[in-house]
Amino acid sequence: MEELERAEERLENIRSVEPILGALRTISMGSWKAALRQSDRVQQYEEWLSSILPSLLPLLPVNTPPSGRYLLYSSSSAEREKAQTRVVAALVVGSERGLVGRFNRIIVEKVEAYLAEQIADEVEVELAAMGGRVRRLLQRRGYQLAWSDTLSIAALPSFERAFDLTRRWLTRYEARELDAVDLIYNAYHGMDKYHPTVTRLIPPSLSLKSKAHRDASPRTRSAPIIETDPLSLYTRVVEQQTAIGLYRVLLESASAEHAARYRLLESATQNIERLIEELTLTIQTARQQEITQEMEELAVGAGMLGSQKS
């Protein structure tokens, strides 16, 4: 009897959790698909920005002002590439919420390997983190963070935040306070497939010829009409493309995170369905045994009454 009551209580608890898991799974799938769709839009915008650069280069002045030191064609940029990297800002992108398995732990392992390489090369690293979970893991392992930020739980990463960060990094790069900016995150490779990756955001690595520009024949290419200052426009394109690079990484990390969470919730839902079937069968069997026992007791009791009357 006690075993039956425990099984019924457990079944009731599991059934109360089932709709919550289903809702979380649906939310994760929606966020995952939304991040993928936004990534596609960002890629199209990035390709459009790349198509502008080849047309702007011939219009740029030969001698660039100090404010354009990070531009690709500037002489100081070439000098910076030859110089040894001394100070690097490294941004670690993780998750704000849990239920993602080893998502944050493998990033921290990648950070440890990355820092070991930088220390061996005598490079000073300014470590920062986005995502509460990965921030706590890094702090537990004794890493000092220059700064940290949270990620939105209910929405996709913000392009405005990415643009603000890249503007500040580029300003420090121009002032020679930074030699490079690296991003450490989980690259998305499909359903529950991600890999910790390090990519360099600054100095900007810009393609001077877009795919559309390469594929177009000389007859189909037409020089754009530019009415604004070419240098200002070029600077804006560099800033936008650098910000897009960070934003694309944030979206890719979000895609990997939501896909991992969806996969875990899907497995949990399947386990709950299996447990419900097993507990239902256990309860039915226990009830049948209980009914059988009661019938046997009634039969025995009826026999005893009959023997007493005789």
Side-chain angles (χ1 to χ4, degrees):
M1 187 66 179
E2 292 181 0
E3 182 180 352
L4 176 60
E5 291 178 353
R6 286 197 298 268
E8 289 176 340
E9 183 179 358
R10 188 182 179 193
L11 179 60
E12 183 180 355
N13 292 335
I14 291 176
R15 280 179 171 166
S16 65
V17 172
E18 185 180 18
I20 299 175
L21 276 179
L24 291 174
R25 183 185 59 175
T26 302
I27 293 172
S28 296
M29 181 175 64
S31 300
W32 170 29
K33 298 300 182 183
L36 290 178
R37 287 194 298 268
Q38 187 70 355
S39 296
D40 291 338
R41 299 188 190 101
V42 166
Q43 183 178 358
Q44 294 174 8
Y45 180 59
E46 191 172 18
E47 291 175 355
W48 177 78
L49 285 175
S50 298
S51 68
I52 299 176
L53 292 176
S55 303
L56 282 175
L57 284 177
L59 305 177
L60 297 177
V62 177
N63 298 320
T64 60
S67 61
R69 281 200 297 266
Y70 62 82
L71 300 181
L72 285 180
Y73 70 94
S74 65
S75 59
S76 58
S77 178
E79 294 173 0
R80 290 287 290 273
E81 290 179 359
K82 295 179 182 179
Q84 185 177 2
T85 301
R86 292 296 182 185
V87 182
V88 175
L91 175 62
V92 184
V93 183
S95 74
E96 192 66 32
R97 295 184 295 166
L99 294 175
V100 286
R102 298 185 66 251
F103 186 87
N104 293 295
R105 290 197 297 273
I106 63 173
I107 296 178
V108 173
E109 293 171 1
K110 187 68 174 180
V111 170
E112 292 176 337
Y114 168 83
L115 291 176
E117 293 177 0
Q118 301 303 315
I119 291 173
D121 293 336
E122 298 182 349
V123 175
E124 178 185 348
V125 178
E126 296 180 3
L127 198 63
M130 293 186 74
R133 295 279 176 165
V134 74
R135 172 182 57 80
R136 287 191 288 271
L137 283 176
L138 289 170
Q139 290 176 337
R140 286 173 189 167
R141 301 199 181 190
Y143 293 109
Q144 298 294 325
L145 300 178
W147 58 270
S148 63
D149 198 2
T150 59
L151 293 168
S152 175
I153 295 178
L156 293 177
S158 167
F159 175 74
E160 288 74 15
R161 178 59 174 150
F163 186 76
D164 179 62
L165 277 175
T166 52
R167 282 289 297 270
R168 282 193 279 170
W169 282 329
L170 286 171
T171 300
R172 294 186 63 195
Y173 181 75
E174 289 181 1
R176 301 184 183 274
E177 297 176 5
L178 283 178
D179 295 312
V181 175
D182 290 335
L183 306 176
I184 307 173
Y185 67 104
N186 276 322
Y188 174 76
H189 295 294
M191 165 71 83
D192 199 25
K193 295 180 181 178
Y194 50 84
H195 184 72
T197 304
V198 178
T199 185
R200 179 143 292 182
L201 180 69
I202 297 174
S205 178
L206 305 178
S207 174
L208 299 183
K209 285 189 177 182
S210 65
K211 183 178 184 301
H213 188 271
R214 291 194 303 267
D215 295 342
S217 63
R219 293 182 179 180
T220 59
R221 295 175 191 166
S222 58
I225 299 174
I226 300 176
E227 297 181 350
T228 186
D229 176 30
L231 181 58
S232 299
L233 181 57
Y234 187 87
T235 303
R236 183 68 173 176
V237 170
V238 171
E239 292 174 345
Q240 284 282 320
Q241 278 215 317
T242 308
I244 283 293
L246 173 58
Y247 187 50
R248 178 167 39 80
V249 164
L250 294 177
L251 288 173
E252 189 171 351
S253 176
S255 299
E257 174 192 347
H258 292 303
R261 183 176 292 111
Y262 172 80
R263 184 68 184 88
L264 286 174
L265 291 171
E266 178 72 13
S267 298
T269 301
Q270 293 175 358
N271 289 335
I272 277 187
E273 292 174 352
R274 178 180 55 80
L275 284 173
I276 289 176
E277 291 180 1
E278 292 177 356
L279 286 172
T280 301
L281 181 60
T282 300
I283 291 171
Q284 290 176 349
T285 303
R287 284 176 177 171
Q288 290 174 357
Q289 291 176 351
E290 188 179 35
I291 292 172
T292 301
Q293 184 177 355
E294 289 178 355
M295 292 179 65
E296 289 177 353
E297 291 176 355
L298 287 173
V300 171
M304 290 176 62
L305 288 173
S307 61
Q308 288 178 358
K309 289 180 180 179
S310 61

